[in-house]
Amino acid sequence: MTIYGDREKCYKCYRPKSSCMCAYFCKIETETKFVILMHPKEFKKVKNNTGHFTHQSLPNSELFIGIDFSDHKRINEIIATHHSYILFPSEDALNLTETKPSRSDKPLALFLIDSTWSCTKSIFYHSKNLQKLPHMSFTTSKKSAYEIKEQPNEAYLSTMESTLVVLEKLNKHNIEQISPALLEHFLDPFHKMIEYQKELINNPKSNAVRYKRYKT
C-alpha cells in the first residue's frame, strides 16, 4: 500500500484501500505478451481504470504511461523481439475471430491502448513505431458491463473486457492453452469494482457526486 494525499491506496490496483480489488485478481499465464499503453489522462482515472486490472491479471504484461512512444527503449525492444500487433479496428486489421495470426519464430505480442478514442488517436499520431505495427481486431456479440461509465458506442468494450475476448480467441486458435475456469473468473475484479461503485451511487448518503445516480 502507499499513501496519496490523505487516503491510503493500493499500489497494485490503484484503488483506495477501503475498496481494494486485488483479492479478486485471477492471474493468467500467457505465451502472448500484452503491452498496455496508457494515456496520462487515463492514468488519473484510477478508481475505474481497467488497464491496471488487466496488467495485474496478466503476469506476462507490461504497462507504460505516455503519449509519444516513438523512442521508448523498452517498447522498441519488444517490437524488435516479438511478432507484434496492435489491437485497433481498421479495414486491414487481422480479424482474430476468423483468422489465426501468421506463424513466426518470434513470440506474439499484442499492444493495447488504454484511453478514450480521442486520446488513442493522439498516441497513434505521435508514436511513429506504433503506426508501423499490423492491426488486430475481433468481432463479438458481447456488450460492455461497464454500467457506471458512458461508452461512446454500445459496441465498445473496456480494456479488460476486450482482453478477455482476445484470450478466448487465442485459445480457439490454440495459440494459448488457458483453462475455461480461469477465463470465467478473469473479469471478477472488474465486476466487483462496478458492484462497489453502484452501491455508492445508489446510496443517498454517499459523497460519490462525480457519478450519475444509477438507474435500474
Side-chain angles (χ1 to χ4, degrees), residues 14-81:
Y14 281 83
R15 290 187 57 82
K17 183 179 179 181
S18 59
S19 60
C20 174
M21 295 294 155
C22 289
Y24 303 106
F25 286 141
C26 178
K27 301 283 187 178
I28 295 182
E29 297 287 348
T30 60
E31 296 293 331
T32 305
K33 174 175 284 295
F34 288 84
V35 185
I36 303 163
L37 306 177
M38 186 180 294
H39 194 281
K41 288 184 179 180
E42 197 70 18
F43 176 74
K44 296 178 181 179
K45 302 175 184 178
V46 294
K47 281 189 175 181
N48 304 318
N49 187 284
T50 66
H52 291 297
F53 286 9
T54 304
H55 176 46
Q56 291 301 324
S57 299
L58 299 175
N60 190 15
S61 70
E62 298 185 44
L63 186 151
F64 304 98
I65 301 166
I67 298 175
D68 186 354
F69 296 101
S70 300
D71 299 317
H72 195 289
K73 181 179 178 181
R74 178 54 185 154
I75 288 178
N76 285 327
E77 286 178 351
I78 296 173
I79 292 175
T81 57

Side-chain angles (χ1 to χ4, degrees), residues 4 7 12 15-16 51-52 79 87 140 158-159 172-173 207:
Y4 291 87
R7 293 194 303 169
K12 289 186 176 181
R15 290 187 57 82
H52 291 297
I79 292 175
L87 191 65
T140 180
S158 69
T159 299
K172 171 188 172 184
H173 293 305
N207 292 322

Side-chain angles (χ1 to χ4, degrees), residues 67-68 70 119-128 130-131:
I67 298 175
D68 186 354
S70 300
C119 290
T120 294
K121 290 191 291 185
S122 178
I123 290 176
F124 259 115
Y125 176 79
H126 289 91
S127 302
K128 306 305 180 184
L130 300 181
Q131 295 174 15

Side-chain angles (χ1 to χ4, degrees), residues 84-88 110-113 124 130 133-136:
S84 301
Y85 289 86
I86 187 164
L87 191 65
F88 190 81
L110 182 58
F111 285 74
L112 311 171
I113 297 182
F124 259 115
L130 300 181
L133 296 180
H135 296 177
M136 180 181 288

Side-chain angles (χ1 to χ4, degrees), residues 148-174:
I148 61 173
K149 181 177 180 181
E150 185 177 349
Q151 299 289 6
N153 185 296
E154 65 175 8
Y156 279 37
L157 299 178
S158 69
T159 299
M160 196 170 199
E161 291 171 308
S162 295
T163 302
L164 175 59
V165 174
V166 169
L167 292 173
E168 292 171 340
K169 304 306 181 186
L170 293 176
N171 248 14
K172 171 188 172 184
H173 293 305
N174 295 316

